[in-house]
Amino acid sequence: MLRTRICELLGIEHPVINAPMSGAATAELAAAVSEAGGFGFIGAGAGSPIWLRDQIRTVRERTSRPFGVGFISSFPGLDELVQVALDEKVSAVCHSFADPSPYVAAAHEAGIKVIAQVQKVADAKKVALAGVDAIAAQGTEAGGHTGHIGTLPLVPAVIDVAGDIPVIAAGGIADGRGLAAVLMLGAEGAFIGSRFVASHESFPEPWVKQRVAQAGTDDTVLTKAYDLAAGSAFPADIGDRVIRNSYTSEWHDRDQEVLGASGELMAQVAAAVQAKDASIAPVRAGNAVGLFSTIEPAGEILRRIVEEAEEILSKRPQSLFNA
């Protein structure tokens, strides 16, 4: 069985964590991943404190295993959401897109582990000094909001500056090959997002899951066309990886024009979401969508990924030396 420092840190069987995806990773997915031996995250996003407390308690009704809450830490209302997670004493919290330093001490006082997700080596150095328990290095292959450096160079570079802090790889991992690869890079586990979007337990409606399952590796684009129109509170150097559609074909890389037409564009997007029209509505997914085409239970997805990685790691290194 694969066993890494992240398993010890989080009290889990397998070094697989569902990415804390806002709008996709709710209580049902988090509970399913944790119950299967991984670590389940609720993506708090822009949810309310009442909603988050209910989500946490719903997970506890479904599993007794460890789970946590992930925040878009650049969003307003963060303090109230963090306080809910502390009050409910989840096993871990994850901060993304902002400095987690103000929140580390209080989490540790409550016995809660802190993970910081970063997209640059410079940010990894900062969060290491803040005393986080683990660092997630998120490559540009990730779906949704991410940076511009590939997972392959970013993960070992973050490991080099992290000292004794375990590093989790994120971005472009959807099967056992990806998990095995990042473990060989030195990562202690993997955040997996898009593959879990195409699960029975993820929150998006069926039309979104079908679009993710049908997309290919070539079908995504890292854009700001939705965020600029919506005025989203993400850092300026963060993009939004979505599946290409008519909207991105028209508005990608036309930032000033998007800002000028933001009201009209957001009305179009809102109407498209209501109409389940993926030609306009955003469907967030990473490059790894080309590695799967089915919608399955999250527990089965997790177990297969782990089994594939174990098979690869038990045979591939030896075969290279014996070739």
Side-chain angles (χ1 to χ4, degrees):
M1 176 183 291
L2 295 176
R3 192 80 183 164
T4 71
R5 287 193 294 155
I6 209 68
C7 298
E8 300 296 333
L9 179 72
L10 299 176
I12 56 179
E13 296 175 32
H14 308 301
V16 173
I17 304 165
N18 77 266
M21 304 168 286
S22 177
T26 52
E28 190 174 3
L29 178 59
V33 169
S34 288
E35 186 63 17
F39 192 85
F41 262 123
I42 299 166
S48 72
I50 293 173
W51 172 86
L52 180 56
R53 195 178 303 276
D54 179 67
Q55 287 286 298
I56 292 169
R57 294 180 178 180
T58 298
V59 175
R60 288 208 168 107
E61 291 172 359
R62 299 183 181 201
T63 185
S64 60
R65 299 192 177 196
F67 69 97
V69 176
F71 305 105
I72 300 174
S73 302
S74 59
F75 275 22
L78 177 64
D79 289 354
E80 293 181 16
L81 293 172
V82 169
Q83 192 59 51
V84 170
L86 299 187
D87 291 344
E88 293 292 327
K89 296 191 181 301
V90 299
S91 299
V93 294
C94 180
H95 289 278
S96 300
F97 310 116
D99 180 7
S101 300
Y103 303 98
V104 173
H108 285 167
E109 287 173 10
I112 297 170
K113 305 299 184 185
V114 180
I115 301 171
Q117 181 170 251
V118 301
Q119 295 78 33
K120 295 188 292 187
V121 177
D123 291 337
K125 294 178 181 178
K126 293 176 184 176
V127 302
L129 292 173
V132 300
D133 299 286
I135 300 172
Q138 184 197 39
T140 191
E141 297 93 331
H145 292 91
T146 188
H148 298 265
I149 302 173
T151 301
L152 192 63
L154 182 63
V155 169
V158 170
I159 290 170
D160 287 346
V161 303
D164 292 333
I165 301 171
V167 173
I168 301 159
I173 306 160
D175 59 17
R177 294 171 295 180
L179 177 57
V182 298
L183 292 177
M184 292 303 294
L185 285 175
E188 303 288 341
F191 271 12
I192 294 179
S194 299
R195 184 63 189 98
F196 282 129
V197 171
S199 71
H200 293 170
E201 296 87 352
S202 72
F203 188 73
E205 293 187 54
W207 65 276
V208 174
K209 298 183 188 185
Q210 288 291 344
R211 186 72 187 95
V212 170
Q214 292 166 359
T217 301
D218 299 343
D219 293 341
T220 74
V221 60
L222 188 65
T223 186
K224 296 185 79 68
Y226 289 105
D227 282 344
L228 290 175
S232 298
F234 286 95
D237 59 351
I238 294 297
D240 182 16
R241 188 168 296 283
V242 301
I243 297 174
R244 298 176 188 273
N245 59 13
S246 297
Y247 179 91
T248 61
S249 293
E250 183 171 0
W251 294 106
H252 176 58
D253 270 351
R254 296 173 62 187
D255 293 358
Q256 292 304 312
E257 293 169 271
V258 169
L259 288 169
S262 60
E264 176 187 344
L265 292 177
M266 275 300 91
Q268 290 179 17
V269 171
V273 171
Q274 289 295 317
K276 306 180 183 0
D277 178 6
S279 71
I280 301 295
V283 175
R284 294 181 167 92
N287 293 146
V289 289
L291 304 179
F292 59 88
S293 59
T294 56
I295 300 169
E296 302 175 79
E300 291 184 13
I301 292 169
L302 188 151
R303 284 186 285 271
R304 184 169 60 251
I305 289 172
V306 171
E307 289 171 1
E308 289 173 354
E310 290 175 343
E311 177 80 4
I312 291 166
L313 292 171
S314 69
K315 294 182 178 179
R316 179 65 173 162
Q318 184 178 0
S319 72
L320 293 175
F321 282 103
N322 292 336

